[in-house]
Amino acid sequence: MSERRALLGRIRMWLILFIVCLVLSGLTAFPLVHELRWAEDLLRSSASPVPEQFPALMEWITKVRTGLDRTDAKYPFVLYGTDWLAFAHLVIAVAFYGPYRDPVRNIWVIEFGMIACAGIIPLALICGPIRGIPFWWSVIDMSFGVFGVIPLLVVRRMIKRLEALERAPRPEPAPTAAPAG
């Protein structure tokens, strides 16, 4: 297998991982009300040490679940915003098909993703306090940007190597002697 083909395979593997994570992240934004109920029940179960070990987390999960339940009961249209959040994740995941097909030509999508990951940090630091989000939860949100940028940095570096391989002059085949005739 050529170096180029091996590199392309690794790029595609990383991109598939990134796309799957974006899709899963998007899909989990649709059923928020049910997910929060399930998470709270799980964390409150007798097998869970969370209520005793992390009371602030338990209090936050309960507050968020209560807020979502009340919003869903009285103003379900507000949750339409999280449907759009989910949809945005799915659309962004589709954009990464471009680099999957032609990484060198579509490296800009990778760089766009890196910028978006970096943008998570100021968003969490600015909007978190405005919306009453605990700082430790904002740190969890910021971790999505930090962990999200890692595969994109790896992919970008590999795409640059692929680009260099494609631009490198290919050795000319050795001339063959013409048959004597």
Side-chain angles (χ1 to χ4, degrees):
M1 181 189 293
S2 73
E3 182 181 357
R4 182 191 179 286
R5 193 179 342 220
L7 194 53
L8 187 59
R10 287 195 308 275
I11 289 168
R12 287 180 171 164
M13 180 196 68
W14 278 98
L15 285 171
I16 288 171
L17 173 69
F18 192 79
I19 290 168
V20 166
C21 289
L22 271 173
V23 168
L24 290 175
S25 180
L27 292 177
T28 61
F30 284 114
L32 282 180
V33 174
H34 302 292
E35 286 174 341
L36 257 292
R37 287 179 192 152
W38 176 79
E40 186 181 29
D41 289 346
L42 182 69
L43 294 175
R44 286 202 188 282
S45 73
S46 60
S48 172
V50 172
E52 295 81 30
Q53 301 282 334
F54 304 99
L57 173 61
M58 202 63 236
E59 183 181 321
W60 176 248
I61 295 292
T62 300
K63 181 177 182 174
V64 172
R65 195 256 323 134
T66 301
L68 282 173
D69 279 346
R70 290 180 181 167
T71 301
D72 189 37
K74 286 186 146 191
Y75 311 105
F77 55 86
V78 173
L79 296 175
Y80 189 51
T82 61
D83 297 336
W84 280 104
L85 168 72
F87 178 71
H89 277 77
L90 301 176
V91 170
I92 293 167
V94 170
F96 282 88
Y97 180 66
Y100 180 89
R101 282 189 40 213
D102 188 346
V104 173
R105 183 171 169 219
N106 293 298
I107 193 170
W108 68 271
V109 176
I110 304 302
E111 292 166 344
F112 163 81
M114 293 167 64
I115 292 166
C117 286
I120 291 171
I121 294 170
L123 178 80
L125 290 173
I126 294 167
C127 295
I130 291 171
R131 302 288 184 206
I133 307 298
F135 179 73
W136 56 268
W137 193 265
S138 292
V139 170
I140 292 170
D141 289 339
M142 289 184 280
S143 74
F144 284 91
V146 173
F147 291 119
V149 80
I150 292 170
L152 296 177
L153 286 167
V154 170
V155 167
R156 186 180 185 284
R157 186 178 42 166
M158 287 190 287
I159 291 172
K160 288 296 189 180
R161 263 194 5 237
L162 182 64
E163 181 180 37
L165 282 174
E166 289 179 354
R167 290 186 183 191
R170 295 205 168 111
E172 293 291 322
T176 56

